[in-house]
Amino acid sequence: MTPEEVMTRYEQYINPAATKLFRFMGLASVEGRGEGWTVTDTEGQSFIDCLGGYGMFALGHRHPKVVEAVERQLHAMPMSGKVLFNEPMALLAEKLAAITPGDLQYSFFCNSGTEAVEGCLKMARLATGRQEIIATDNAFHGKTFGSLTATGRDLYRTPFQPLVPGFRHVPFSDLAALEAAVTDQTAAVIVEPIQGEGGIIVPPDGYLKQVEELCHAKGALLIADEVQTGMGRTGRWFGCDHDGARPDLMAVSKALGGGVMPIGAFVGTAQAWAGFVEAPFIHTSTFGGGEMACAAGVATLQVIEEEGLLDKAARDGAYFKAGLEKIAAEFPRVIRTVRGRGMMMGLELTKEGAGGMLMALMIAQHVLVAYTLNNPKVIRIEPPLILPVAVIDQVLALLHDAVRQVDEVIDDL
Ligand code: PLP
C-alpha cells in the first residue's frame, strides 16, 4: 500500500480529523521498520526517534535481547491460560519487588498504564476502607473512568461526566494545598513524580517525600504514577528515587515491555495488598501477566542493568538538557524555559503556534518530537535511553536551526 492509501483508510475508518492534523504536521509517512533510535518509513526515509512512543521506547526499537526473549516465549507459551503457574510472571514480580523503593512487594500485571492506575485506585480504597482520592491539577493518569477522574484536564474530562465520585484536585507541588485537602476519609493521594503530559513539570526537591509523610500521618496511601517516569527514564529506576520517597502503591507500564510488548503493573506493599490477599479474584485480567509480555519485562530490566542505562540516562540527559538550555538562551523569544530530568525533557515555548511549527520543522528534518497532551506549548523530548551522544549533538544542531527559523516569524504566530 502507498502512504496515501493508508491515510485514506485512516480518514475513512479511523478518524478523519486526527488524520488531517497528522498530515498538517508533515506526518505523511507510514511506519516501516524500527531499529535502535531510528524509525524507517515504508518509503525508506529514516527518522531519529526523540519521542520514543511517549516514553515507551527506553531501549529503542526492537532491542535484540527483548526480541529474543519474546520470540522464545512465542514458540513455547505466549499467553497465560490462567490456571497453571507462570514462570516469567513470577520472575518479573520478584524483580519489581527488588528494584522498586521501600516495601513495595506484590505485583498485579495488566496491559497498559491506565489499567495500572485503575488498579492502584481500587487497591487504595480496598486497603483503607476510605473513598476520597486526591490528585493534582494538570496531572495525566490515563483515560479510562477512574484514571480519567484523576487526570487534571477538563478537556478530556468534561465530555464524559459524571465521572467517579470522591476525587479532588489540588495544585501540583503545593504541599499546603494538599495538607488542607487530605482528610480522615482520604484513601490515597496520587501523583506523578514528574508531570509528563502536563508539560514535563519537575516538582521542588523533597516534595514527594513530604507528600509521603503527609499521607502516612493521615492514614492515607501514596500512589506514585511511574507510568512515564519509571524504568530509568529520569536516570534512576523510578522518579520517586530522586526524593527517597516510599509509595504504598506504584503504577508502571510503557517502557516495562521494552518497546516490544504492551504491559502494565501495579505494585503494592503488604499493607496495601491486604484486602486483595483476602479476596484474590476481586481484580482480574484475561490478558494481563501473559508469558510473552512478562518475558519482555524481565529482559528489559536485565538490559537496563547490563547496559548501565540508569547512569547513561542521568549523564547524557544532563548533557542533552545543557544543549537545550544553550539554544533557549540564544532564542528567548521562542523558548521560555527548559525542564526535565534524565532523558525526560521539555521545551516550554512562548506561544502555542510555535509548538506546532517547531514540531513540523523537526519532522521535516527527520527528527520525531511531539507536544505534551495537556500542554501544547511544551515540546517533549523523550528519546531512547540508548541514544548515542553523537546523535544528541546531531539533534541539537537540527533543533538550533529549527528554533532559528521559528524565531524569524515568531511575531506572526
Ligand atoms: N500515567 C501516566 C503518568 C502517563 O503518562 C500515561 C500515558 O501517557 C498513563 C498513565 C496512561 O497510560 P496508557 O496510555 O498506557 O493507558
PDB file of all heavy atoms in Angstrom, residues 85-100:
ATOM      1  N   PHE A  85       0.711 -22.226  36.989  1.00  0.00           N
ATOM      2  CA  PHE A  85       1.625 -21.140  37.336  1.00  0.00           C
ATOM      3  C   PHE A  85       2.417 -20.698  36.106  1.00  0.00           C
ATOM      4  O   PHE A  85       2.563 -21.453  35.139  1.00  0.00           O
ATOM      5  CB  PHE A  85       2.562 -21.583  38.468  1.00  0.00           C
ATOM      6  CG  PHE A  85       1.852 -21.672  39.797  1.00  0.00           C
ATOM      7  CD1 PHE A  85       1.426 -22.903  40.295  1.00  0.00           C
ATOM      8  CD2 PHE A  85       1.582 -20.528  40.531  1.00  0.00           C
ATOM      9  CE1 PHE A  85       0.754 -22.985  41.509  1.00  0.00           C
ATOM     10  CE2 PHE A  85       0.907 -20.600  41.746  1.00  0.00           C
ATOM     11  CZ  PHE A  85       0.492 -21.833  42.232  1.00  0.00           C
ATOM     12  N   ASN A  86       2.951 -19.476  36.193  1.00  0.00           N
ATOM     13  CA  ASN A  86       3.545 -18.808  35.039  1.00  0.00           C
ATOM     14  C   ASN A  86       4.914 -18.260  35.471  1.00  0.00           C
ATOM     15  O   ASN A  86       4.992 -17.344  36.291  1.00  0.00           O
ATOM     16  CB  ASN A  86       2.509 -17.739  34.639  1.00  0.00           C
ATOM     17  CG  ASN A  86       2.994 -16.580  33.832  1.00  0.00           C
ATOM     18  OD1 ASN A  86       4.175 -16.364  33.621  1.00  0.00           O
ATOM     19  ND2 ASN A  86       2.048 -15.788  33.376  1.00  0.00           N
ATOM     20  N   GLU A  87       5.984 -18.859  34.948  1.00  0.00           N
ATOM     21  CA  GLU A  87       7.334 -18.519  35.419  1.00  0.00           C
ATOM     22  C   GLU A  87       7.766 -17.084  35.080  1.00  0.00           C
ATOM     23  O   GLU A  87       8.258 -16.374  35.971  1.00  0.00           O
ATOM     24  CB  GLU A  87       8.349 -19.530  34.858  1.00  0.00           C
ATOM     25  CG  GLU A  87       9.762 -19.270  35.342  1.00  0.00           C
ATOM     26  CD  GLU A  87      10.760 -20.302  34.817  1.00  0.00           C
ATOM     27  OE1 GLU A  87      10.435 -21.506  34.795  1.00  0.00           O
ATOM     28  OE2 GLU A  87      11.870 -19.898  34.430  1.00  0.00           O
ATOM     29  N   PRO A  88       7.573 -16.612  33.838  1.00  0.00           N
ATOM     30  CA  PRO A  88       8.008 -15.227  33.572  1.00  0.00           C
ATOM     31  C   PRO A  88       7.325 -14.211  34.489  1.00  0.00           C
ATOM     32  O   PRO A  88       7.941 -13.232  34.924  1.00  0.00           O
ATOM     33  CB  PRO A  88       7.612 -15.000  32.107  1.00  0.00           C
ATOM     34  CG  PRO A  88       7.579 -16.367  31.503  1.00  0.00           C
ATOM     35  CD  PRO A  88       7.105 -17.281  32.607  1.00  0.00           C
ATOM     36  N   MET A  89       6.047 -14.458  34.837  1.00  0.00           N
ATOM     37  CA  MET A  89       5.349 -13.518  35.723  1.00  0.00           C
ATOM     38  C   MET A  89       5.963 -13.543  37.122  1.00  0.00           C
ATOM     39  O   MET A  89       6.167 -12.496  37.749  1.00  0.00           O
ATOM     40  CB  MET A  89       3.849 -13.838  35.785  1.00  0.00           C
ATOM     41  CG  MET A  89       3.084 -12.822  36.606  1.00  0.00           C
ATOM     42  SD  MET A  89       1.319 -12.861  36.307  1.00  0.00           S
ATOM     43  CE  MET A  89       0.796 -14.004  37.548  1.00  0.00           C
ATOM     44  N   ALA A  90       6.284 -14.748  37.595  1.00  0.00           N
ATOM     45  CA  ALA A  90       6.898 -14.868  38.929  1.00  0.00           C
ATOM     46  C   ALA A  90       8.241 -14.140  38.956  1.00  0.00           C
ATOM     47  O   ALA A  90       8.560 -13.411  39.906  1.00  0.00           O
ATOM     48  CB  ALA A  90       7.077 -16.352  39.276  1.00  0.00           C
ATOM     49  N   LEU A  91       9.025 -14.317  37.880  1.00  0.00           N
ATOM     50  CA  LEU A  91      10.351 -13.685  37.834  1.00  0.00           C
ATOM     51  C   LEU A  91      10.236 -12.161  37.768  1.00  0.00           C
ATOM     52  O   LEU A  91      10.985 -11.442  38.422  1.00  0.00           O
ATOM     53  CB  LEU A  91      11.117 -14.175  36.595  1.00  0.00           C
ATOM     54  CG  LEU A  91      11.643 -15.604  36.680  1.00  0.00           C
ATOM     55  CD1 LEU A  91      12.217 -16.039  35.329  1.00  0.00           C
ATOM     56  CD2 LEU A  91      12.708 -15.709  37.773  1.00  0.00           C
ATOM     57  N   LEU A  92       9.266 -11.679  36.976  1.00  0.00           N
ATOM     58  CA  LEU A  92       9.116 -10.225  36.827  1.00  0.00           C
ATOM     59  C   LEU A  92       8.636  -9.596  38.138  1.00  0.00           C
ATOM     60  O   LEU A  92       9.118  -8.535  38.542  1.00  0.00           O
ATOM     61  CB  LEU A  92       8.158  -9.907  35.672  1.00  0.00           C
ATOM     62  CG  LEU A  92       7.999  -8.431  35.348  1.00  0.00           C
ATOM     63  CD1 LEU A  92       9.345  -7.760  35.050  1.00  0.00           C
ATOM     64  CD2 LEU A  92       7.062  -8.220  34.161  1.00  0.00           C
ATOM     65  N   ALA A  93       7.733 -10.269  38.823  1.00  0.00           N
ATOM     66  CA  ALA A  93       7.237  -9.741  40.103  1.00  0.00           C
ATOM     67  C   ALA A  93       8.377  -9.682  41.129  1.00  0.00           C
ATOM     68  O   ALA A  93       8.523  -8.704  41.873  1.00  0.00           O
ATOM     69  CB  ALA A  93       6.093 -10.618  40.614  1.00  0.00           C
ATOM     70  N   GLU A  94       9.210 -10.717  41.129  1.00  0.00           N
ATOM     71  CA  GLU A  94      10.352 -10.738  42.060  1.00  0.00           C
ATOM     72  C   GLU A  94      11.291  -9.570  41.773  1.00  0.00           C
ATOM     73  O   GLU A  94      11.748  -8.864  42.675  1.00  0.00           O
ATOM     74  CB  GLU A  94      11.099 -12.075  41.907  1.00  0.00           C
ATOM     75  CG  GLU A  94      12.313 -12.188  42.814  1.00  0.00           C
ATOM     76  CD  GLU A  94      13.150 -13.436  42.522  1.00  0.00           C
ATOM     77  OE1 GLU A  94      13.156 -13.919  41.355  1.00  0.00           O
ATOM     78  OE2 GLU A  94      13.802 -13.923  43.458  1.00  0.00           O
ATOM     79  N   LYS A  95      11.542  -9.365  40.494  1.00  0.00           N
ATOM     80  CA  LYS A  95      12.470  -8.310  40.091  1.00  0.00           C
ATOM     81  C   LYS A  95      11.899  -6.920  40.427  1.00  0.00           C
ATOM     82  O   LYS A  95      12.627  -6.032  40.899  1.00  0.00           O
ATOM     83  CB  LYS A  95      12.727  -8.457  38.582  1.00  0.00           C
ATOM     84  CG  LYS A  95      13.804  -7.608  38.053  1.00  0.00           C
ATOM     85  CD  LYS A  95      15.177  -8.054  38.511  1.00  0.00           C
ATOM     86  CE  LYS A  95      16.202  -6.982  38.217  1.00  0.00           C
ATOM     87  NZ  LYS A  95      17.433  -7.121  38.976  1.00  0.00           N
ATOM     88  N   LEU A  96      10.595  -6.755  40.193  1.00  0.00           N
ATOM     89  CA  LEU A  96       9.984  -5.450  40.505  1.00  0.00           C
ATOM     90  C   LEU A  96      10.062  -5.172  42.002  1.00  0.00           C
ATOM     91  O   LEU A  96      10.327  -4.039  42.423  1.00  0.00           O
ATOM     92  CB  LEU A  96       8.529  -5.402  40.029  1.00  0.00           C
ATOM     93  CG  LEU A  96       8.315  -5.155  38.530  1.00  0.00           C
ATOM     94  CD1 LEU A  96       6.822  -5.199  38.187  1.00  0.00           C
ATOM     95  CD2 LEU A  96       8.903  -3.812  38.089  1.00  0.00           C
ATOM     96  N   ALA A  97       9.853  -6.213  42.806  1.00  0.00           N
ATOM     97  CA  ALA A  97       9.945  -6.021  44.268  1.00  0.00           C
ATOM     98  C   ALA A  97      11.357  -5.576  44.645  1.00  0.00           C
ATOM     99  O   ALA A  97      11.554  -4.767  45.552  1.00  0.00           O
ATOM    100  CB  ALA A  97       9.566  -7.311  44.990  1.00  0.00           C
ATOM    101  N   ALA A  98      12.362  -6.091  43.918  1.00  0.00           N
ATOM    102  CA  ALA A  98      13.755  -5.757  44.249  1.00  0.00           C
ATOM    103  C   ALA A  98      14.112  -4.325  43.844  1.00  0.00           C
ATOM    104  O   ALA A  98      14.859  -3.651  44.555  1.00  0.00           O
ATOM    105  CB  ALA A  98      14.693  -6.752  43.554  1.00  0.00           C
ATOM    106  N   ILE A  99      13.591  -3.850  42.713  1.00  0.00           N
ATOM    107  CA  ILE A  99      14.046  -2.525  42.239  1.00  0.00           C
ATOM    108  C   ILE A  99      13.151  -1.374  42.681  1.00  0.00           C
ATOM    109  O   ILE A  99      13.573  -0.226  42.643  1.00  0.00           O
ATOM    110  CB  ILE A  99      14.212  -2.495  40.694  1.00  0.00           C
ATOM    111  CG1 ILE A  99      12.871  -2.744  39.982  1.00  0.00           C
ATOM    112  CG2 ILE A  99      15.276  -3.478  40.231  1.00  0.00           C
ATOM    113  CD1 ILE A  99      12.917  -2.481  38.482  1.00  0.00           C
ATOM    114  N   THR A 100      11.911  -1.665  43.086  1.00  0.00           N
ATOM    115  CA  THR A 100      11.021  -0.567  43.493  1.00  0.00           C
ATOM    116  C   THR A 100      11.371  -0.108  44.914  1.00  0.00           C
ATOM    117  O   THR A 100      11.891  -0.892  45.707  1.00  0.00           O
ATOM    118  CB  THR A 100       9.539  -0.995  43.426  1.00  0.00           C
ATOM    119  OG1 THR A 100       9.389  -2.257  44.083  1.00  0.00           O
ATOM    120  CG2 THR A 100       9.046  -1.106  42.009  1.00  0.00           C
TER     121      THR A 100
END
